[in-house]
Amino acid sequence: MKQYSEKKMNKTVYWAEKPGDQDTKVIRVVKEQESDSEMLSVCLREAARCLKQGGLVAFPTETVYGLGADALNETAAKRIYEAKGRPSDNPLIVHISAIEDMDKLAYVNDMAKALAQAFWPGPLTIILPKKECVPDGTTGGLGTVAIRMPSHPAALELIRQSGVYVAAPSANTSGRPSPTKASHVVEDMRGKIEYIVDGGAVGIGIESTIVDVSGEKPMILRPGFISKHMLEQIIGDVEIDPALSKPVDGMRPKAPGMKYTHYAPKGEMTLVEGDEGVRGQVIQQIKELAAEKQQEGFRVGIMAPKETISFYYGCADAVICVGDRNGQQTVAAGLYAALREFDNAEVDYIYAESFRGEELSDAIMNRLLKAAGHRVICVERGE
Ligand code: TXA
Ligand code: MG
C-alpha cells in the first residue's frame, strides 16, 4: 500500500501494510523539544494517552528503541508479543520515570537501592522479586521483575505523562537486530502499532546491562554500557552468568531472552580476529574468504572499523564501516545499523573484524558472537 498519507508539522501517518492492520503514526521529537519540557509534553500527549488506554507506542531510549505498553495491563502487554513475534516465555523490562516507583513493583533491597541511586536514570536494568501487581504476562511467569529507569528525555516524559509503568522490549521483530533509529522501527513495526516516537539515532546503541540482585550474589545476565567494574564500585563482587561466554550443553542463560539467536543478520557471519601485530594478516584472510565466496556465486559483506575499512573497498558486495576501533562507543552505536544494512544488501556471507579489548568489548563481543553464531577464525602470528 501507499507510503504515507499525511504529513503534519511533526507527524507522518503510515498506512497499514494490509487491510485489518492499523495505521502507525510517527511523531518527531526534535532536539529543541527534548530540552524544553513543556514542548516535549505537548508533543507526546497523544502517544501518552494511547499508552494509558492500552495501545502500543515505540519510543527512543538512550540504549535502543523500545516498544512500550502498559506493564500492568496483561492484554496490552500481550500485544507486544504479537507485534514482535516474540516467544511468550521471554519476560519484558518494566520502565519507570521515578526511582520511588521501584517499590511499587518489587521487593527492593539495599543493593538495588544503591545501584538505582548510582546509575538511574541510565542504561541499567535491575532484577528483583516481583510484587503481586505485576502480571505473569509481563514477567513470563517468573517470580522476579526487571526494572529500568531510562535517561532519554522523551522516554521519561512519555512514561511520566502516561501515568503507567511501561513494559518495553527492544522495538524490533524478534530475531532481528535491535532498532537504533526510528526508520528501523518503521521497517519492523509499521501497521502493527499505534505510534512511533522518532527521537533520531540513539546514543549508546546496545541494550542495557541487566543485573540480577534477587538472589544471594549479584549477577550480570546481559553485559552493556554499565560494566562489571562500574557495578562493583557500588556493591562489591558481581558475577557474570557463566552461560553467556559460550554455549555449553545443558547450561541455559538466566535471562530467558539471551538463549535465542538474537541479533542475527540474515547472512551467515564469521568473525576474524588476531591481535594488533597480525592485523595485516586478518585483513588478508578476510579478503581471501570474501573472494572465495564471491567466486562460488554468493553475495558477500565485510564489516570493519574506520581504521581498516578502506582496505576492503571493492572486495565485497557490501563493505560497511562500524565506528572507530579506538572509540568503542562508536562501534556499539553503529553495530545494529550495520547488521541491518547487510540484510538490506541481501548478502549470503559476512566477514567481520573482531573487537576484543578494553572498554565496551564485553558488551560488543556478546552481541557480535551471537550474531556470528560463535563462528570465529583466529589468526596467529606467522600463519
Ligand atoms: O536497553 C534495554 O534494556 C532495552 C530498552 C528498550 O530499554 N530493552 C530491552 O528489552 O532490551 P528486551 O525485552 O529486548 O530484553 C530484555 C531482556 C531479555 O533477555 C529478557 O529475557 C530479560 O531481559 N529479562 C526480563 N525480565 C527478566 C527477569 N525477571 N529475569 C531474568 N531476565 C529477564
Ligand atoms: Mg531485544
Side-chain angles (χ1 to χ4, degrees), residues 84 86 169-170 172 178 207 222 262-263:
K84 279 181 64 83
R86 173 170 173 135
S170 48
N172 52 293
S178 294
E207 303 84 347
R222 178 173 74 184
H262 256 171
Y263 325 119

Side-chain angles (χ1 to χ4, degrees), residues 285-306:
Q285 172 94 69
I286 289 179
K287 283 182 170 179
E288 281 169 22
L289 288 163
E292 231 169 72
K293 287 296 178 200
Q294 279 191 320
Q295 268 159 24
E296 290 169 24
F298 292 109
R299 287 179 63 77
V300 180
I302 293 178
M303 184 168 90
K306 210 168 96 196

Side-chain angles (χ1 to χ4, degrees), residues 11 73 85-86 102 152 213 220 331:
K11 199 159 62 177
N73 172 344
R86 173 170 173 135
M102 189 165 46
H152 195 293
V213 293
I220 293 175
V331 177

Side-chain angles (χ1 to χ4, degrees), residues 233-296:
Q233 295 206 311
I234 309 295
I235 54 169
D237 281 354
V238 177
E239 294 179 354
I240 297 186
D241 183 355
L244 291 185
S245 42
K246 211 178 169 163
V248 182
D249 277 350
M251 219 204 289
R252 281 188 145 206
K254 296 199 170 41
M258 298 299 277
K259 69 174 181 279
Y260 299 108
T261 355
H262 256 171
Y263 325 119
K266 292 173 192 153
E268 183 186 290
M269 183 165 170
T270 303
L271 308 182
V272 181
E273 68 182 19
D275 58 30
E276 187 101 43
V278 293
R279 196 124 301 150
Q281 282 156 263
V282 168
I283 294 169
Q284 197 50 38
Q285 172 94 69
I286 289 179
K287 283 182 170 179
E288 281 169 22
L289 288 163
E292 231 169 72
K293 287 296 178 200
Q294 279 191 320
Q295 268 159 24
E296 290 169 24

